[in-house]
mmCIF file of all heavy atoms in Angstrom:
data_model
loop_
_atom_site.group_PDB
_atom_site.id
_atom_site.type_symbol
_atom_site.label_atom_id
_atom_site.label_comp_id
_atom_site.label_asym_id
_atom_site.label_seq_id
_atom_site.Cartn_x
_atom_site.Cartn_y
_atom_site.Cartn_z
ATOM 1 N N ARG A 14 -38.995 -80.723 69.456
ATOM 2 C CA ARG A 14 -37.642 -80.858 68.892
ATOM 3 C C ARG A 14 -36.825 -79.614 69.234
ATOM 4 O O ARG A 14 -35.678 -79.723 69.619
ATOM 5 C CB ARG A 14 -37.720 -81.048 67.384
ATOM 6 C CG ARG A 14 -38.264 -82.401 66.975
ATOM 7 C CD ARG A 14 -38.157 -82.620 65.483
ATOM 8 N NE ARG A 14 -38.931 -81.651 64.733
ATOM 9 C CZ ARG A 14 -40.027 -81.940 64.049
ATOM 10 N NH1 ARG A 14 -40.450 -83.181 63.988
ATOM 11 N NH2 ARG A 14 -40.677 -81.025 63.400
ATOM 12 N N SER A 15 -37.418 -78.427 69.064
ATOM 13 C CA SER A 15 -36.680 -77.207 69.364
ATOM 14 C C SER A 15 -37.559 -76.043 69.816
ATOM 15 O O SER A 15 -37.051 -75.097 70.404
ATOM 16 C CB SER A 15 -35.861 -76.758 68.141
ATOM 17 O OG SER A 15 -36.729 -76.420 67.087
ATOM 18 N N THR A 16 -38.876 -76.079 69.563
ATOM 19 C CA THR A 16 -39.706 -74.892 69.797
ATOM 20 C C THR A 16 -41.000 -75.231 70.535
ATOM 21 O O THR A 16 -41.672 -76.198 70.192
ATOM 22 C CB THR A 16 -40.086 -74.233 68.451
ATOM 23 O OG1 THR A 16 -38.887 -73.938 67.745
ATOM 24 C CG2 THR A 16 -40.865 -72.962 68.659
ATOM 25 N N VAL A 17 -41.328 -74.408 71.537
ATOM 26 C CA VAL A 17 -42.621 -74.443 72.214
ATOM 27 C C VAL A 17 -43.183 -73.040 72.107
ATOM 28 O O VAL A 17 -42.476 -72.053 72.320
ATOM 29 C CB VAL A 17 -42.481 -74.852 73.693
ATOM 30 C CG1 VAL A 17 -43.818 -74.707 74.412
ATOM 31 C CG2 VAL A 17 -41.957 -76.269 73.806
ATOM 32 N N ARG A 18 -44.458 -72.926 71.749
ATOM 33 C CA ARG A 18 -45.082 -71.610 71.580
ATOM 34 C C ARG A 18 -46.369 -71.547 72.378
ATOM 35 O O ARG A 18 -47.132 -72.515 72.411
ATOM 36 C CB ARG A 18 -45.369 -71.396 70.093
ATOM 37 C CG ARG A 18 -45.953 -70.023 69.802
ATOM 38 C CD ARG A 18 -46.028 -69.795 68.323
ATOM 39 N NE ARG A 18 -47.173 -70.506 67.785
ATOM 40 C CZ ARG A 18 -47.735 -70.219 66.621
ATOM 41 N NH1 ARG A 18 -47.229 -69.258 65.869
ATOM 42 N NH2 ARG A 18 -48.765 -70.888 66.195
ATOM 43 N N VAL A 19 -46.614 -70.412 73.021
ATOM 44 C CA VAL A 19 -47.849 -70.176 73.759
ATOM 45 C C VAL A 19 -48.598 -69.056 73.052
ATOM 46 O O VAL A 19 -48.031 -68.003 72.766
ATOM 47 C CB VAL A 19 -47.565 -69.769 75.230
ATOM 48 C CG1 VAL A 19 -48.871 -69.451 75.949
ATOM 49 C CG2 VAL A 19 -46.803 -70.860 75.944
ATOM 50 N N VAL A 20 -49.872 -69.299 72.752
ATOM 51 C CA VAL A 20 -50.717 -68.319 72.065
ATOM 52 C C VAL A 20 -51.930 -68.035 72.940
ATOM 53 O O VAL A 20 -52.607 -68.964 73.383
ATOM 54 C CB VAL A 20 -51.181 -68.865 70.681
ATOM 55 C CG1 VAL A 20 -52.104 -67.868 70.000
ATOM 56 C CG2 VAL A 20 -49.994 -69.213 69.810
ATOM 57 N N LEU A 21 -52.194 -66.779 73.192
ATOM 58 C CA LEU A 21 -53.351 -66.351 73.963
ATOM 59 C C LEU A 21 -54.295 -65.617 73.017
ATOM 60 O O LEU A 21 -53.869 -64.700 72.313
ATOM 61 C CB LEU A 21 -52.920 -65.426 75.110
ATOM 62 C CG LEU A 21 -53.997 -64.869 76.007
ATOM 63 C CD1 LEU A 21 -54.695 -65.999 76.752
ATOM 64 C CD2 LEU A 21 -53.391 -63.874 76.983
ATOM 65 N N ALA A 22 -55.568 -66.041 72.979
ATOM 66 C CA ALA A 22 -56.519 -65.429 72.050
ATOM 67 C C ALA A 22 -57.919 -65.433 72.652
ATOM 68 O O ALA A 22 -58.211 -66.194 73.576
ATOM 69 C CB ALA A 22 -56.527 -66.200 70.726
ATOM 70 N N LEU A 23 -58.777 -64.590 72.101
ATOM 71 C CA LEU A 23 -60.198 -64.623 72.433
ATOM 72 C C LEU A 23 -60.922 -65.423 71.371
ATOM 73 O O LEU A 23 -60.633 -65.309 70.175
ATOM 74 C CB LEU A 23 -60.790 -63.211 72.460
ATOM 75 C CG LEU A 23 -60.485 -62.372 73.673
ATOM 76 C CD1 LEU A 23 -61.046 -60.959 73.487
ATOM 77 C CD2 LEU A 23 -61.053 -62.996 74.922
ATOM 78 N N GLU A 24 -61.855 -66.254 71.813
ATOM 79 C CA GLU A 24 -62.675 -67.009 70.874
ATOM 80 C C GLU A 24 -63.533 -66.013 70.086
ATOM 81 O O GLU A 24 -63.959 -64.997 70.653
ATOM 82 C CB GLU A 24 -63.560 -67.977 71.667
ATOM 83 C CG GLU A 24 -64.325 -68.954 70.827
ATOM 84 C CD GLU A 24 -65.057 -69.952 71.712
ATOM 85 O OE1 GLU A 24 -65.965 -69.528 72.452
ATOM 86 O OE2 GLU A 24 -64.718 -71.132 71.654
ATOM 87 N N PRO A 25 -63.776 -66.277 68.807
ATOM 88 C CA PRO A 25 -64.654 -65.380 68.051
ATOM 89 C C PRO A 25 -65.975 -65.187 68.804
ATOM 90 O O PRO A 25 -66.591 -66.139 69.249
ATOM 91 C CB PRO A 25 -64.862 -66.109 66.732
ATOM 92 C CG PRO A 25 -63.633 -66.950 66.574
ATOM 93 C CD PRO A 25 -63.277 -67.372 67.975
ATOM 94 N N GLY A 26 -66.381 -63.965 68.985
ATOM 95 C CA GLY A 26 -67.578 -63.650 69.745
ATOM 96 C C GLY A 26 -67.272 -63.290 71.192
ATOM 97 O O GLY A 26 -68.136 -62.807 71.908
ATOM 98 N N GLY A 27 -66.050 -63.550 71.635
ATOM 99 C CA GLY A 27 -65.629 -63.165 72.978
ATOM 100 C C GLY A 27 -66.158 -64.009 74.115
ATOM 101 O O GLY A 27 -66.055 -63.621 75.262
ATOM 102 N N GLY A 28 -66.712 -65.178 73.838
ATOM 103 C CA GLY A 28 -67.275 -66.015 74.892
ATOM 104 C C GLY A 28 -66.262 -66.785 75.702
ATOM 105 O O GLY A 28 -66.572 -67.275 76.779
ATOM 106 N N ALA A 29 -65.047 -66.893 75.182
ATOM 107 C CA ALA A 29 -64.039 -67.688 75.895
ATOM 108 C C ALA A 29 -62.635 -67.179 75.595
ATOM 109 O O ALA A 29 -62.389 -66.562 74.573
ATOM 110 C CB ALA A 29 -64.151 -69.154 75.494
ATOM 111 N N VAL A 30 -61.740 -67.470 76.522
ATOM 112 C CA VAL A 30 -60.319 -67.176 76.359
ATOM 113 C C VAL A 30 -59.654 -68.501 75.987
ATOM 114 O O VAL A 30 -59.917 -69.537 76.603
ATOM 115 C CB VAL A 30 -59.714 -66.616 77.662
ATOM 116 C CG1 VAL A 30 -58.215 -66.457 77.535
ATOM 117 C CG2 VAL A 30 -60.371 -65.304 78.027
ATOM 118 N N LEU A 31 -58.794 -68.464 74.971
ATOM 119 C CA LEU A 31 -58.086 -69.653 74.516
ATOM 120 C C LEU A 31 -56.598 -69.496 74.791
ATOM 121 O O LEU A 31 -56.014 -68.472 74.457
ATOM 122 C CB LEU A 31 -58.307 -69.865 73.013
ATOM 123 C CG LEU A 31 -59.753 -69.915 72.546
ATOM 124 C CD1 LEU A 31 -59.802 -69.978 71.026
ATOM 125 C CD2 LEU A 31 -60.471 -71.100 73.159
ATOM 126 N N VAL A 32 -56.014 -70.509 75.402
ATOM 127 C CA VAL A 32 -54.569 -70.546 75.635
ATOM 128 C C VAL A 32 -54.068 -71.800 74.944
ATOM 129 O O VAL A 32 -54.417 -72.909 75.328
ATOM 130 C CB VAL A 32 -54.219 -70.599 77.140
ATOM 131 C CG1 VAL A 32 -52.710 -70.593 77.326
ATOM 132 C CG2 VAL A 32 -54.858 -69.447 77.890
ATOM 133 N N ARG A 33 -53.246 -71.601 73.904
ATOM 134 C CA ARG A 33 -52.704 -72.733 73.159
ATOM 135 C C ARG A 33 -51.238 -72.910 73.518
ATOM 136 O O ARG A 33 -50.495 -71.949 73.564
ATOM 137 C CB ARG A 33 -52.807 -72.516 71.659
ATOM 138 C CG ARG A 33 -54.210 -72.524 71.150
ATOM 139 C CD ARG A 33 -54.220 -72.282 69.668
ATOM 140 N NE ARG A 33 -55.580 -72.426 69.184
ATOM 141 C CZ ARG A 33 -55.896 -72.861 67.993
ATOM 142 N NH1 ARG A 33 -54.941 -73.164 67.138
ATOM 143 N NH2 ARG A 33 -57.143 -72.986 67.632
ATOM 144 N N VAL A 34 -50.855 -74.165 73.727
ATOM 145 C CA VAL A 34 -49.455 -74.524 73.923
ATOM 146 C C VAL A 34 -49.116 -75.472 72.781
ATOM 147 O O VAL A 34 -49.647 -76.572 72.696
ATOM 148 C CB VAL A 34 -49.218 -75.195 75.292
ATOM 149 C CG1 VAL A 34 -47.767 -75.605 75.432
ATOM 150 C CG2 VAL A 34 -49.602 -74.245 76.416
ATOM 151 N N GLU A 35 -48.258 -75.002 71.876
ATOM 152 C CA GLU A 35 -47.915 -75.761 70.669
ATOM 153 C C GLU A 35 -46.440 -76.135 70.702
ATOM 154 O O GLU A 35 -45.634 -75.439 71.322
ATOM 155 C CB GLU A 35 -48.200 -74.934 69.424
ATOM 156 C CG GLU A 35 -49.631 -74.445 69.347
ATOM 157 C CD GLU A 35 -49.842 -73.428 68.243
ATOM 158 O OE1 GLU A 35 -48.862 -72.819 67.772
ATOM 159 O OE2 GLU A 35 -51.006 -73.216 67.882
ATOM 160 N N HIS A 36 -46.093 -77.232 70.018
ATOM 161 C CA HIS A 36 -44.685 -77.646 69.931
ATOM 162 C C HIS A 36 -44.413 -78.242 68.561
ATOM 163 O O HIS A 36 -45.323 -78.598 67.828
ATOM 164 C CB HIS A 36 -44.332 -78.638 71.045
ATOM 165 C CG HIS A 36 -45.124 -79.892 71.016
ATOM 166 N ND1 HIS A 36 -44.807 -80.961 70.203
ATOM 167 C CD2 HIS A 36 -46.237 -80.255 71.685
ATOM 168 C CE1 HIS A 36 -45.666 -81.928 70.392
ATOM 169 N NE2 HIS A 36 -46.557 -81.524 71.280
ATOM 170 N N ASP A 37 -43.143 -78.334 68.210
ATOM 171 C CA ASP A 37 -42.758 -78.843 66.889
ATOM 172 C C ASP A 37 -42.292 -80.300 66.949
ATOM 173 O O ASP A 37 -41.526 -80.748 66.126
ATOM 174 C CB ASP A 37 -41.659 -77.960 66.287
ATOM 175 C CG ASP A 37 -40.378 -78.013 67.079
ATOM 176 O OD1 ASP A 37 -40.365 -78.589 68.195
ATOM 177 O OD2 ASP A 37 -39.370 -77.466 66.606
ATOM 178 N N GLY A 38 -42.802 -81.036 67.911
ATOM 179 C CA GLY A 38 -42.388 -82.424 68.088
ATOM 180 C C GLY A 38 -43.287 -83.426 67.388
ATOM 181 O O GLY A 38 -43.945 -83.111 66.401
ATOM 182 N N ARG A 39 -43.354 -84.585 67.966
ATOM 183 C CA ARG A 39 -44.140 -85.692 67.384
ATOM 184 C C ARG A 39 -45.623 -85.350 67.385
ATOM 185 O O ARG A 39 -46.175 -85.026 68.425
ATOM 186 C CB ARG A 39 -43.916 -86.960 68.196
ATOM 187 C CG ARG A 39 -42.482 -87.414 68.218
ATOM 188 C CD ARG A 39 -42.343 -88.714 68.980
ATOM 189 N NE ARG A 39 -43.181 -88.792 70.159
ATOM 190 C CZ ARG A 39 -42.744 -88.742 71.402
ATOM 191 N NH1 ARG A 39 -41.479 -88.602 71.645
ATOM 192 N NH2 ARG A 39 -43.583 -88.842 72.406
#
């Protein structure tokens, strides 16, 4: 609707990198 957010994080324990793409739509 109006917002897209990108979040970069390490998985707990450091075994993986997480890239989240979130939005406020349906």
Side-chain angles (χ1 to χ4, degrees):
R14 289 188 298 250
S15 65
T16 304
V17 173
R18 183 172 78 160
V19 177
V20 178
L21 179 64
L23 283 176
E24 188 174 65
V30 174
L31 306 174
V32 182
R33 292 179 175 211
V34 177
E35 304 170 341
H36 61 83
D37 65 351
R39 299 183 321 251

